[in-house]
Amino acid sequence: MIFRQLFDSTSGTYTYLLASRRGGEALIIDPVLEKVDRYIQLVNELDLRLVKAVDTHLHADHITGLGALRDRTHCITVMGERSKVDVVSMRLSEGDKLTIEGVALEVLYTPGHTDDSYSFRLSDRIFTGDTLLIRGTGRTDFQNGDARAQYDSIFNKLLRLPDDTLVFPAHDYKGETVSTIGEEKRYNPRLQVKSIDEYVELMNNLNLPNPKMMDVAVPANMHVGLAQERIEQQGWAVRACDAVTLRGRADVAFVDLRERGEREKHGVIPGSLHAPYPDLKENVEPGGMLHELARATGKRILFYCAFGERSAMAVEAAHQAGIENACHITGGLAAWKKAEGPVAH
Ligand SMILES: [Fe+2]
């Protein structure tokens, strides 16, 4: 496995790059905007293809690199379903799997630092965001933080993992890089409490100053959605309510870009084809399944995904590859459901 821990010294943020092999798909966790050039350089140097950029929670101390990475690499952006961020390409919840080729991380909902904090676990390690830090825990005094919820996340989820599980947090300010669950159980001063009330008391009396970047970072991080004006201006966007009336028409092919797990969990538009986003390039190029379908039948290709981001990127790629009648459903399956379009499970 390829595993890199990258550091932003301005915000004390750790960013993690994972891939199963050289030449394969890569995933990045908690990227920082100012470091995006470096990440892309490293991805290229290691001969990787970045396919997912994930934030463990909405950060208050730095601007996320999610949007910039998506715009520059066409990777998809991922956050937890509880996040108040405007639009990401994919949302996950407890028990879901965050996957790339050869790597599957288990998703744990670990609120407390914020109400949208998630942890991601591989067999031998866990990325704890700001829920559990090395010899510390993430503050709980803003962004709907809740010391009681954090106690529950830490004691009833994270500390129940095997003692030798490696802990990789989103931040460190003292130069520590990694710990283990067993070590934190024993030596993390915040965890040496006898009750949840004692923990809450401790967390509610930290009296920390607000992060310097907070007033800039939080609003910026709330808006990472893809700019879609150009797609609309070109007439490549179909509103969900209009898409509902196109269903069943012989001259329109609905194409679902989501992953199998998303389809099973959230359902599909009946009669739609499945062409997962990671295979998009080969599908839209001459000789590819969608290219030939459009050419041979003259059908309009109508892409959809979860929230309209992957499909917006697919429309651009399809037009570049010469599929002139490609369009997408704005807002994806979420908008389709709001428009009361039928969904099959
Ligand atoms: Fe944080």
Side-chain angles (χ1 to χ4, degrees):
M1 192 173 83
I2 294 170
F3 174 74
R4 293 298 165 92
Q5 182 177 36
L6 302 150
F7 188 56
D8 172 52
S9 54
T10 312
S11 60
T13 303
Y14 284 127
T15 300
Y16 301 95
L17 181 71
L18 283 94
S20 65
R21 63 177 179 93
R22 256 191 111 84
E25 294 183 351
L27 162 83
I28 198 163
I29 299 175
D30 287 330
V32 175
L33 178 63
E34 287 78 6
K35 292 283 188 282
V36 161
D37 283 344
R38 171 65 187 136
Y39 307 144
I40 291 175
Q41 183 192 13
L42 182 60
V43 163
N44 291 334
E45 286 165 353
L46 298 177
D47 190 25
L48 300 173
R49 190 159 63 91
L50 186 67
V51 296
K52 282 180 183 163
V54 188
D55 267 356
T56 51
H57 63 287
L58 197 106
H59 296 285
D61 64 330
H62 67 268
I63 297 178
T64 175
L66 252 58
L69 284 169
R70 177 207 51 225
D71 292 344
R72 292 181 52 185
T73 70
H74 299 130
C75 72
I76 71 173
T77 55
V78 184
M79 284 188 79
E81 66 170 0
R82 301 289 183 102
S83 179
K84 290 181 192 71
V85 62
D86 59 346
V87 183
V88 281
S89 307
M90 180 187 281
R91 289 182 185 266
L92 298 171
S93 55
E94 170 101 6
D96 284 348
K97 287 279 191 318
L98 168 63
T99 57
I100 58 168
E101 173 205 357
V103 179
L105 292 109
E106 182 193 340
V107 180
L108 286 85
Y109 179 46
T110 49
H113 169 58
T114 64
D115 60 356
D116 73 338
S117 290
Y118 290 76
S119 300
F120 300 97
R121 184 193 176 202
L122 262 180
S123 51
D124 67 336
R125 65 194 64 196
I126 183 155
F127 303 96
T128 53
D130 289 348
T131 302
L132 178 60
L133 305 175
I134 299 173
R135 308 300 191 265
T137 57
R139 61 193 298 176
T140 54
D141 56 340
F142 56 69
Q143 287 186 284
N144 297 315
D146 180 340
R148 218 161 261 284
Q150 192 175 50
Y151 180 96
D152 185 54
S153 296
I154 294 173
F155 282 85
N156 296 325
K157 285 188 183 167
L158 301 181
L159 297 191
R160 289 192 179 176
L161 298 172
D163 274 1
D164 59 357
T165 306
L166 298 168
V167 172
F168 287 102
H171 290 96
D172 193 85
Y173 309 100
K174 296 186 201 127
E176 303 280 349
T177 53
V178 60
S179 180
T180 66
I181 289 292
E183 233 179 280
E184 292 311 308
K185 253 186 216 166
R186 260 171 281 139
Y187 303 119
N188 189 321
R190 298 241 177 111
L191 306 185
Q192 310 310 310
V193 290
K194 295 199 175 55
S195 67
I196 188 165
D197 291 327
E198 195 184 330
Y199 185 73
V200 171
E201 175 76 13
L202 174 73
M203 293 306 287
N204 289 348
N205 289 292
L206 294 177
N207 300 317
L208 300 166
N210 279 346
K212 283 187 258 46
M213 283 283 286
M214 185 167 163
D215 295 338
V216 179
V218 171
N221 291 341
M222 293 280 272
H223 299 289
V224 299
L226 178 76
Q228 298 199 14
E229 291 79 10
R230 199 180 95 81
I231 289 164
E232 277 161 33
Q233 282 159 10
Q234 299 277 354
W236 299 342
V238 178
R239 290 182 307 168
C241 53
D242 297 327
V244 172
T245 67
L246 296 175
R247 200 180 70 82
R249 279 198 10 194
D251 58 344
V252 181
F254 282 67
V255 176
D256 185 358
L257 296 161
R258 295 171 304 153
E259 296 178 1
R260 209 180 64 205
E262 294 175 280
R263 286 161 58 84
E264 284 166 3
K265 188 167 173 188
H266 302 288
V268 302
I269 295 177
S272 57
L273 302 170
H274 185 209
Y277 182 76
D279 304 334
L280 179 72
K281 201 163 176 287
E282 62 185 62
N283 280 334
V284 296
E285 272 173 2
M289 188 250 290
L290 296 175
H291 196 99
E292 295 313 307
L293 174 74
R295 196 185 55 80
T297 65
K299 280 185 200 253
R300 197 169 162 196
I301 303 292
L302 180 57
F303 288 110
Y304 75 96
C305 58
F307 306 105
E309 279 216 346
R310 276 168 281 185
S311 57
M313 293 191 284
V315 164
E316 297 257 16
H319 281 269
Q320 274 166 21
I323 305 178
E324 282 163 16
N325 56 3
C327 48
H328 85 124
I329 303 178
T330 308
L333 191 72
W336 172 270
K337 285 182 178 174
K338 270 195 196 135
E340 295 180 4
V343 171
H345 282 273

Short mmCIF file of all heavy atoms in Angstrom, two decimals, residues 280-324:
data_model
loop_
_atom_site.label_atom_id
_atom_site.label_comp_id
_atom_site.label_asym_id
_atom_site.label_seq_id
_atom_site.Cartn_x
_atom_site.Cartn_y
_atom_site.Cartn_z
N LEU A 280 -15.73 6.57 -16.63
CA LEU A 280 -16.35 7.54 -17.54
C LEU A 280 -15.54 7.74 -18.82
O LEU A 280 -16.08 7.70 -19.92
CB LEU A 280 -16.52 8.88 -16.81
CG LEU A 280 -17.14 9.98 -17.66
CD1 LEU A 280 -18.62 9.71 -17.90
CD2 LEU A 280 -16.94 11.34 -17.01
N LYS A 281 -14.23 7.96 -18.62
CA LYS A 281 -13.40 8.33 -19.77
C LYS A 281 -13.52 7.29 -20.88
O LYS A 281 -13.79 7.62 -22.03
CB LYS A 281 -11.94 8.47 -19.32
CG LYS A 281 -11.10 9.30 -20.23
CD LYS A 281 -9.81 9.73 -19.52
CE LYS A 281 -8.89 10.48 -20.44
NZ LYS A 281 -8.23 9.63 -21.44
N GLU A 282 -13.35 6.02 -20.52
CA GLU A 282 -13.40 5.00 -21.57
C GLU A 282 -14.82 4.82 -22.12
O GLU A 282 -14.98 4.47 -23.28
CB GLU A 282 -12.81 3.66 -21.08
CG GLU A 282 -13.54 3.05 -19.92
CD GLU A 282 -12.84 1.79 -19.41
OE1 GLU A 282 -11.69 1.93 -18.97
OE2 GLU A 282 -13.45 0.71 -19.46
N ASN A 283 -15.83 5.11 -21.31
CA ASN A 283 -17.20 4.96 -21.79
C ASN A 283 -17.62 6.04 -22.79
O ASN A 283 -18.46 5.78 -23.65
CB ASN A 283 -18.19 4.96 -20.61
CG ASN A 283 -18.25 3.61 -19.92
OD1 ASN A 283 -17.96 2.58 -20.53
ND2 ASN A 283 -18.62 3.61 -18.65
N VAL A 284 -17.08 7.26 -22.63
CA VAL A 284 -17.54 8.34 -23.52
C VAL A 284 -16.67 8.49 -24.77
O VAL A 284 -17.07 9.14 -25.73
CB VAL A 284 -17.65 9.72 -22.80
CG1 VAL A 284 -18.69 9.67 -21.70
CG2 VAL A 284 -16.31 10.21 -22.28
N GLU A 285 -15.49 7.90 -24.74
CA GLU A 285 -14.62 8.06 -25.90
C GLU A 285 -15.10 7.17 -27.07
O GLU A 285 -15.82 6.20 -26.85
CB GLU A 285 -13.17 7.73 -25.51
CG GLU A 285 -12.55 9.00 -25.01
CD GLU A 285 -11.18 8.87 -24.42
OE1 GLU A 285 -10.62 7.76 -24.41
OE2 GLU A 285 -10.68 9.91 -23.96
N PRO A 286 -14.72 7.54 -28.31
CA PRO A 286 -15.13 6.72 -29.45
C PRO A 286 -14.81 5.25 -29.21
O PRO A 286 -13.72 4.92 -28.75
CB PRO A 286 -14.30 7.30 -30.60
CG PRO A 286 -14.06 8.72 -30.21
CD PRO A 286 -13.93 8.71 -28.71
N GLY A 287 -15.79 4.39 -29.45
CA GLY A 287 -15.62 2.95 -29.17
C GLY A 287 -16.16 2.59 -27.80
O GLY A 287 -16.43 1.43 -27.53
N GLY A 288 -16.32 3.59 -26.93
CA GLY A 288 -16.84 3.34 -25.59
C GLY A 288 -18.35 3.10 -25.61
O GLY A 288 -19.04 3.48 -26.55
N MET A 289 -18.85 2.48 -24.55
CA MET A 289 -20.25 2.06 -24.48
C MET A 289 -21.23 3.22 -24.71
O MET A 289 -22.15 3.14 -25.52
CB MET A 289 -20.47 1.42 -23.10
CG MET A 289 -21.80 0.76 -22.91
SD MET A 289 -22.88 1.64 -21.78
CE MET A 289 -22.15 1.42 -20.19
N LEU A 290 -20.99 4.33 -24.04
CA LEU A 290 -21.95 5.44 -24.15
C LEU A 290 -21.80 6.17 -25.48
O LEU A 290 -22.79 6.62 -26.08
CB LEU A 290 -21.76 6.42 -22.98
CG LEU A 290 -22.07 5.82 -21.61
CD1 LEU A 290 -21.73 6.81 -20.50
CD2 LEU A 290 -23.53 5.40 -21.50
N HIS A 291 -20.57 6.28 -25.92
CA HIS A 291 -20.33 6.95 -27.21
C HIS A 291 -21.05 6.20 -28.33
O HIS A 291 -21.75 6.80 -29.15
CB HIS A 291 -18.82 7.00 -27.49
CG HIS A 291 -18.45 7.97 -28.57
ND1 HIS A 291 -17.96 9.23 -28.27
CD2 HIS A 291 -18.53 7.89 -29.92
CE1 HIS A 291 -17.74 9.87 -29.41
NE2 HIS A 291 -18.08 9.08 -30.42
N GLU A 292 -20.91 4.89 -28.31
CA GLU A 292 -21.53 4.07 -29.37
C GLU A 292 -23.04 4.04 -29.24
O GLU A 292 -23.77 4.02 -30.24
CB GLU A 292 -20.94 2.66 -29.37
CG GLU A 292 -19.46 2.63 -29.73
CD GLU A 292 -19.12 3.47 -30.97
OE1 GLU A 292 -19.77 3.28 -32.02
OE2 GLU A 292 -18.23 4.34 -30.90
N LEU A 293 -23.52 4.05 -28.00
CA LEU A 293 -24.98 4.07 -27.78
C LEU A 293 -25.57 5.35 -28.38
O LEU A 293 -26.57 5.32 -29.11
CB LEU A 293 -25.28 4.02 -26.27
CG LEU A 293 -26.74 4.17 -25.87
CD1 LEU A 293 -27.53 2.91 -26.18
CD2 LEU A 293 -26.87 4.50 -24.38
N ALA A 294 -24.92 6.49 -28.09
CA ALA A 294 -25.43 7.76 -28.60
C ALA A 294 -25.33 7.80 -30.13
O ALA A 294 -26.26 8.26 -30.80
CB ALA A 294 -24.62 8.92 -27.99
N ARG A 295 -24.25 7.29 -30.65
CA ARG A 295 -24.03 7.34 -32.11
C ARG A 295 -25.01 6.41 -32.84
O ARG A 295 -25.65 6.80 -33.80
CB ARG A 295 -22.59 6.93 -32.42
CG ARG A 295 -22.11 7.28 -33.82
CD ARG A 295 -20.72 6.73 -34.08
NE ARG A 295 -20.65 5.28 -33.85
CZ ARG A 295 -21.06 4.36 -34.72
NH1 ARG A 295 -21.55 4.72 -35.88
NH2 ARG A 295 -20.97 3.08 -34.42
N ALA A 296 -25.15 5.22 -32.32
CA ALA A 296 -25.96 4.22 -33.03
C ALA A 296 -27.46 4.49 -32.92
O ALA A 296 -28.22 4.20 -33.84
CB ALA A 296 -25.63 2.82 -32.50
N THR A 297 -27.90 5.02 -31.78
CA THR A 297 -29.35 5.16 -31.57
C THR A 297 -29.82 6.60 -31.65
O THR A 297 -31.02 6.85 -31.73
CB THR A 297 -29.74 4.63 -30.17
OG1 THR A 297 -29.12 5.48 -29.19
CG2 THR A 297 -29.29 3.19 -29.96
N GLY A 298 -28.89 7.55 -31.58
CA GLY A 298 -29.28 8.96 -31.57
C GLY A 298 -29.92 9.38 -30.25
O GLY A 298 -30.45 10.48 -30.11
N LYS A 299 -29.89 8.48 -29.28
CA LYS A 299 -30.51 8.79 -27.98
C LYS A 299 -29.78 9.93 -27.28
O LYS A 299 -28.56 10.05 -27.38
CB LYS A 299 -30.46 7.57 -27.06
CG LYS A 299 -31.52 6.53 -27.33
CD LYS A 299 -31.42 5.43 -26.27
CE LYS A 299 -32.07 4.14 -26.71
NZ LYS A 299 -33.32 3.85 -26.05
N ARG A 300 -30.55 10.71 -26.54
CA ARG A 300 -29.99 11.73 -25.69
C ARG A 300 -29.48 11.03 -24.43
O ARG A 300 -30.22 10.26 -23.81
CB ARG A 300 -31.12 12.70 -25.34
CG ARG A 300 -30.70 14.00 -24.81
CD ARG A 300 -31.95 14.88 -24.82
NE ARG A 300 -31.75 16.03 -23.95
CZ ARG A 300 -32.72 16.79 -23.51
NH1 ARG A 300 -33.98 16.53 -23.84
NH2 ARG A 300 -32.45 17.81 -22.76
N ILE A 301 -28.23 11.26 -24.08
CA ILE A 301 -27.66 10.66 -22.86
C ILE A 301 -27.96 11.61 -21.69
O ILE A 301 -27.53 12.76 -21.70
CB ILE A 301 -26.13 10.47 -23.00
CG1 ILE A 301 -25.78 9.61 -24.22
CG2 ILE A 301 -25.54 9.89 -21.71
CD1 ILE A 301 -26.19 8.17 -24.14
N LEU A 302 -28.69 11.11 -20.72
CA LEU A 302 -29.04 11.94 -19.55
C LEU A 302 -28.35 11.35 -18.32
O LEU A 302 -28.81 10.36 -17.75
CB LEU A 302 -30.57 11.97 -19.38
CG LEU A 302 -31.11 12.79 -18.23
CD1 LEU A 302 -30.64 14.25 -18.29
CD2 LEU A 302 -32.64 12.75 -18.21
N PHE A 303 -27.25 11.97 -17.93
CA PHE A 303 -26.49 11.49 -16.78
C PHE A 303 -27.16 11.89 -15.47
O PHE A 303 -27.75 12.96 -15.37
CB PHE A 303 -25.09 12.11 -16.77
CG PHE A 303 -24.16 11.59 -17.82
CD1 PHE A 303 -23.78 12.40 -18.88
CD2 PHE A 303 -23.65 10.30 -17.74
CE1 PHE A 303 -22.89 11.94 -19.85
CE2 PHE A 303 -22.76 9.83 -18.71
CZ PHE A 303 -22.39 10.65 -19.75
N TYR A 304 -27.03 11.04 -14.48
CA TYR A 304 -27.38 11.47 -13.12
C TYR A 304 -26.45 10.78 -12.12
O TYR A 304 -25.82 9.77 -12.41
CB TYR A 304 -28.85 11.22 -12.79
CG TYR A 304 -29.23 9.78 -12.51
CD1 TYR A 304 -29.29 9.30 -11.19
CD2 TYR A 304 -29.56 8.90 -13.53
CE1 TYR A 304 -29.67 7.98 -10.92
CE2 TYR A 304 -29.93 7.59 -13.27
CZ TYR A 304 -29.98 7.14 -11.97
OH TYR A 304 -30.35 5.84 -11.70
N CYS A 305 -26.36 11.39 -10.94
CA CYS A 305 -25.57 10.81 -9.85
C CYS A 305 -26.30 11.14 -8.55
O CYS A 305 -27.52 11.23 -8.54
CB CYS A 305 -24.13 11.34 -9.89
SG CYS A 305 -24.03 13.13 -9.76
N ALA A 306 -25.57 11.33 -7.45
CA ALA A 306 -26.24 11.57 -6.17
C ALA A 306 -26.74 13.00 -6.05
O ALA A 306 -27.91 13.25 -5.73
CB ALA A 306 -25.30 11.24 -5.02
N PHE A 307 -25.86 13.98 -6.33
CA PHE A 307 -26.20 15.39 -6.11
C PHE A 307 -25.92 16.28 -7.32
O PHE A 307 -26.04 17.50 -7.24
CB PHE A 307 -25.45 15.93 -4.89
CG PHE A 307 -25.64 15.10 -3.66
CD1 PHE A 307 -24.64 14.26 -3.20
CD2 PHE A 307 -26.85 15.12 -2.98
CE1 PHE A 307 -24.81 13.46 -2.09
CE2 PHE A 307 -27.05 14.32 -1.86
CZ PHE A 307 -26.02 13.49 -1.41
N GLY A 308 -25.52 15.68 -8.43
CA GLY A 308 -25.35 16.44 -9.67
C GLY A 308 -23.93 16.88 -9.97
O GLY A 308 -23.71 17.59 -10.95
N GLU A 309 -22.96 16.47 -9.14
CA GLU A 309 -21.58 16.90 -9.42
C GLU A 309 -20.87 15.98 -10.40
O GLU A 309 -20.27 16.43 -11.36
CB GLU A 309 -20.77 16.96 -8.12
CG GLU A 309 -21.01 18.22 -7.37
CD GLU A 309 -19.76 18.73 -6.67
OE1 GLU A 309 -18.77 18.00 -6.54
OE2 GLU A 309 -19.80 19.89 -6.25
N ARG A 310 -20.93 14.68 -10.12
CA ARG A 310 -20.31 13.75 -11.04
C ARG A 310 -20.96 13.88 -12.43
O ARG A 310 -20.28 13.82 -13.45
CB ARG A 310 -20.47 12.31 -10.52
CG ARG A 310 -19.41 11.92 -9.53
CD ARG A 310 -19.74 10.62 -8.83
NE ARG A 310 -20.72 10.81 -7.76
CZ ARG A 310 -21.11 9.84 -6.94
NH1 ARG A 310 -20.64 8.61 -7.09
NH2 ARG A 310 -21.97 10.09 -5.98
N SER A 311 -22.29 14.06 -12.43
CA SER A 311 -22.98 14.14 -13.72
C SER A 311 -22.60 15.42 -14.46
O SER A 311 -22.50 15.42 -15.69
CB SER A 311 -24.49 14.03 -13.52
OG SER A 311 -24.97 15.04 -12.65
N ALA A 312 -22.36 16.51 -13.72
CA ALA A 312 -21.94 17.76 -14.37
C ALA A 312 -20.57 17.56 -15.01
O ALA A 312 -20.32 18.00 -16.14
CB ALA A 312 -21.91 18.90 -13.36
N MET A 313 -19.68 16.89 -14.30
CA MET A 313 -18.35 16.64 -14.86
C MET A 313 -18.44 15.67 -16.04
O MET A 313 -17.70 15.79 -17.01
CB MET A 313 -17.41 16.11 -13.77
CG MET A 313 -17.12 17.16 -12.70
SD MET A 313 -15.78 16.73 -11.56
CE MET A 313 -16.55 15.54 -10.47
N ALA A 314 -19.38 14.74 -15.94
CA ALA A 314 -19.55 13.76 -17.03
C ALA A 314 -20.05 14.44 -18.31
O ALA A 314 -19.63 14.08 -19.41
CB ALA A 314 -20.53 12.66 -16.60
N VAL A 315 -20.94 15.41 -18.14
CA VAL A 315 -21.48 16.12 -19.31
C VAL A 315 -20.35 16.82 -20.06
O VAL A 315 -20.25 16.73 -21.29
CB VAL A 315 -22.54 17.15 -18.86
CG1 VAL A 315 -22.82 18.15 -19.96
CG2 VAL A 315 -23.83 16.44 -18.47
N GLU A 316 -19.48 17.48 -19.31
CA GLU A 316 -18.34 18.17 -19.93
C GLU A 316 -17.48 17.16 -20.69
O GLU A 316 -17.09 17.39 -21.83
CB GLU A 316 -17.47 18.84 -18.86
CG GLU A 316 -18.20 19.93 -18.08
CD GLU A 316 -17.81 21.33 -18.53
OE1 GLU A 316 -17.23 21.44 -19.63
OE2 GLU A 316 -18.11 22.27 -17.79
N ALA A 317 -17.18 16.04 -20.02
CA ALA A 317 -16.31 15.02 -20.65
C ALA A 317 -16.97 14.43 -21.88
O ALA A 317 -16.32 14.19 -22.90
CB ALA A 317 -16.00 13.93 -19.63
N ALA A 318 -18.28 14.21 -21.81
CA ALA A 318 -19.00 13.62 -22.94
C ALA A 318 -18.98 14.56 -24.15
O ALA A 318 -18.74 14.12 -25.28
CB ALA A 318 -20.43 13.30 -22.53
N HIS A 319 -19.22 15.85 -23.90
CA HIS A 319 -19.19 16.80 -25.02
C HIS A 319 -17.80 16.89 -25.62
O HIS A 319 -17.65 16.94 -26.84
CB HIS A 319 -19.70 18.17 -24.57
CG HIS A 319 -21.20 18.21 -24.51
ND1 HIS A 319 -21.98 18.60 -25.57
CD2 HIS A 319 -22.06 17.86 -23.52
CE1 HIS A 319 -23.26 18.50 -25.24
NE2 HIS A 319 -23.35 18.06 -23.99
N GLN A 320 -16.79 16.88 -24.74
CA GLN A 320 -15.40 16.91 -25.24
C GLN A 320 -15.10 15.69 -26.10
O GLN A 320 -14.31 15.76 -27.03
CB GLN A 320 -14.41 16.97 -24.08
CG GLN A 320 -14.16 18.40 -23.61
CD GLN A 320 -13.46 18.43 -22.25
OE1 GLN A 320 -12.83 17.46 -21.85
NE2 GLN A 320 -13.59 19.56 -21.56
N ALA A 321 -15.76 14.58 -25.78
CA ALA A 321 -15.51 13.34 -26.53
C ALA A 321 -16.44 13.23 -27.74
O ALA A 321 -16.44 12.19 -28.41
CB ALA A 321 -15.69 12.13 -25.60
N GLY A 322 -17.24 14.26 -27.97
CA GLY A 322 -18.05 14.29 -29.18
C GLY A 322 -19.48 13.77 -29.04
O GLY A 322 -20.17 13.57 -30.03
N ILE A 323 -19.93 13.54 -27.79
CA ILE A 323 -21.34 13.16 -27.61
C ILE A 323 -22.13 14.47 -27.45
O ILE A 323 -22.15 15.07 -26.38
CB ILE A 323 -21.53 12.26 -26.36
CG1 ILE A 323 -20.63 11.02 -26.45
CG2 ILE A 323 -23.00 11.86 -26.21
CD1 ILE A 323 -20.72 10.10 -25.25
N GLU A 324 -22.75 14.90 -28.53
CA GLU A 324 -23.28 16.26 -28.54
C GLU A 324 -24.60 16.43 -27.81
O GLU A 324 -24.98 17.55 -27.46
CB GLU A 324 -23.42 16.74 -29.99
CG GLU A 324 -22.05 17.15 -30.55
CD GLU A 324 -22.05 17.23 -32.05
OE1 GLU A 324 -23.14 17.26 -32.66
OE2 GLU A 324 -20.93 17.26 -32.61
#
